[in-house]
Amino acid sequence: MSADEAVGPLDADVLRRAVEELLLGGGRAWTRAEIAERSGVTADRTEQIWRALGFPVAEDGERVFTDADVEALRAGERLIEAGLITEESETMMARALGHHLSRLAEWQVDTLWAWLRRDMGAAPDGAGLIDRAAGLLPEMELMQQHVWRRHLAAYAGRALTEAAGAFGGDTGHEAPPPAAYDPGAEVTGAAPVNGDREWGGIRDRAVGFTDMVGYTRMSRGLDGAELGRVIDWFESLTGGVVADGRGRVVKTIGDEVFFVCDTASDAADIALEITARAEREQGLPQLRTGLAHGPVLSRFGDLFGAAVNIAARLTALARPDTVLVDTAFAGELAGGTAYDLRALRPVPVRGYSRLRPVLLRRAPTTPTRRPRS
């Protein structure tokens, strides 16, 4: 279907088919059995991958799939043949891609639709909508591919540096020996994650959560625009400080941001800087942060492990405008002069009978050290 066939008042079905043909390079032509035959991937696996991507399974005989779907399945087979992935990891990769890209697609469609309504009036005609989308699609693809490649280059560089260190190469950094920290015998820290600490799998990391205090109560009194401004402020503040401090935002979860750093000192500087900047803002929510250090499993962009759970528990315990860390994290900072560490009384939390928080503050005589650019 061409854009000209979508002229006139919006017909949902007609317009949907036109948009799909524009985005997917053709219409829905193949059934489940046909796409399995054409791609060389079994019907069971195509169904498994399709569901992992976040799409409902098609009924037998229903024409849902396109030529682009066939090529995507063939590409997956080529990666398996090359030994880069397995059939099992292909499904996990599909699930991760579907999860992250579906959120991006939703935001882009909402943004595009709002722009079209502003620019073309309350009821944009079908042909105009398709023409505008066709003009913008290459620009959006170019931007996404560039950002993806920039992140790919950054993570590849980090992985190569870590690999050089693991095999005795020169990473350009001298790692100081860990200092001991013993605030009390019954202190509970991050328990090890089961499994070998292989490069690219389980690694020692500093993880943290920062959330807005009283967000639920505050959000009830704000309209959509005001709430959007608060969320934008929170994400801009935390995302900017984390990036400047050489950390990575793992994900945002409503009123909370989850981040990770290679070292405890980087995470400490990020948390203290976020707190300091938030304190200077008037009329905006207070923030609090929990940090932990230990082995974590990296799995398709997300992180798992006891340290992640402990950081989340500490965030819930923290008072407004404070940073709490676990004893393993405090041990990474002990012996230095940049931070003030004060062990608090052990408290029972979900999953840990005696978790001892440590209050992290900047040392009184130490000038504020902003996260490095």
Side-chain angles (χ1 to χ4, degrees):
M1 175 180 297
S2 67
D4 292 337
E5 295 179 86
V7 174
L10 291 181
D11 181 306
D13 289 336
V14 172
L15 187 58
R16 176 182 58 78
R17 289 195 298 270
V19 169
E20 284 187 352
E21 290 183 12
L22 170 66
L23 296 176
L24 303 179
R28 304 185 181 208
W30 312 114
T31 65
R32 287 169 52 189
E34 289 168 343
I35 193 176
E37 180 181 357
R38 296 179 70 85
S39 66
V41 181
T42 65
D44 287 342
R45 277 194 53 223
T46 58
E47 179 180 325
Q48 186 179 38
I49 293 169
W50 191 248
R51 183 183 286 114
L53 287 170
F55 301 115
V57 176
E59 297 292 336
D60 291 335
E62 186 180 5
R63 298 197 176 277
V64 171
F65 303 100
T66 68
D67 289 336
D69 294 318
V70 175
E71 290 304 316
L73 286 170
R74 290 173 178 168
E77 287 299 289
R78 291 193 292 270
L79 293 178
I80 293 174
E81 291 171 3
L84 181 63
I85 60 175
T86 64
E87 289 187 8
E88 180 183 5
S89 63
E90 181 185 32
T91 303
M92 294 187 291
M93 180 179 68
R95 187 176 299 112
L97 287 172
H99 172 72
H100 292 292
L101 294 181
S102 65
R103 297 174 63 188
L104 177 62
E106 181 182 12
W107 172 81
Q108 289 173 331
V109 168
D110 288 345
T111 301
L112 179 61
W113 185 246
W115 173 71
L116 286 169
R117 289 175 66 90
R118 289 195 308 269
D119 196 54
M120 301 176 65
D125 67 273
L129 191 151
I130 296 298
D131 288 343
R132 295 293 184 90
L136 291 173
L137 183 61
E139 305 300 332
M140 296 169 71
E141 288 180 326
L142 177 63
M143 180 179 65
Q144 286 175 198
Q145 185 180 61
H146 173 71
V147 173
W148 171 67
R149 287 182 177 272
R150 290 292 304 185
H151 279 294
L152 200 62
Y155 283 109
R158 185 178 304 173
L160 290 171
T161 299
E162 291 177 355
F167 292 103
D170 181 11
T171 65
H173 299 282
E174 181 179 354
Y181 183 80
D182 183 16
E186 73 280 24
V187 173
T188 301
V193 178
N194 293 331
D196 297 329
R197 296 193 187 191
E198 296 179 352
W199 174 59
I202 297 175
R203 310 178 216 170
D204 284 342
R205 290 289 182 267
V207 295
F209 290 88
T210 297
D211 76 2
M212 291 187 276
V213 180
Y215 171 81
T216 302
R217 183 178 62 255
M218 175 204 67
S219 63
R220 287 198 296 262
L222 300 178
D223 62 28
E226 292 170 332
L227 181 59
R229 282 192 290 271
V230 171
I231 293 174
D232 183 63
W233 163 79
F234 174 68
E235 293 181 350
S236 297
L237 169 64
T238 55
V241 175
V242 169
D244 288 344
R246 297 186 183 275
R248 174 174 73 88
V249 172
V250 179
K251 57 187 173 183
T252 55
I253 314 165
D255 63 334
E256 186 172 62
V257 63
F258 174 26
F259 63 92
V260 61
C261 297
D262 290 335
T263 68
S265 59
D266 281 345
D269 289 337
I270 286 171
L272 292 170
E273 180 66 17
I274 287 174
T275 301
R277 292 193 189 184
E279 285 181 315
R280 295 194 292 267
E281 298 287 347
Q282 299 295 322
L284 291 168
Q286 295 173 293
L287 305 183
R288 58 185 178 181
T289 300
L291 302 170
H293 188 275
V296 295
L297 171 66
S298 178
R299 180 184 171 93
F300 291 100
D302 209 344
L303 299 177
F304 303 88
V308 177
N309 299 332
I310 289 173
R313 305 292 185 271
L314 290 170
T315 304
L317 292 174
R319 294 179 179 276
D321 300 325
T322 66
V323 179
L324 293 181
V325 306
D326 73 337
T327 54
F329 191 102
E332 295 290 312
L333 300 180
T337 60
Y339 310 101
D340 178 37
L341 299 165
R342 181 164 67 89
L344 307 178
R345 295 175 58 183
V347 293
V349 297
R350 182 162 58 91
Y352 300 90
S353 59
R354 296 181 67 82
L355 178 65
R356 171 164 287 188
V358 179
L359 180 63
L360 171 68
R361 292 179 292 196
R362 190 75 64 184
T365 57
T366 302
T368 299
R369 182 165 72 99
R370 293 181 182 273
R372 16 171 220 201
S373 299

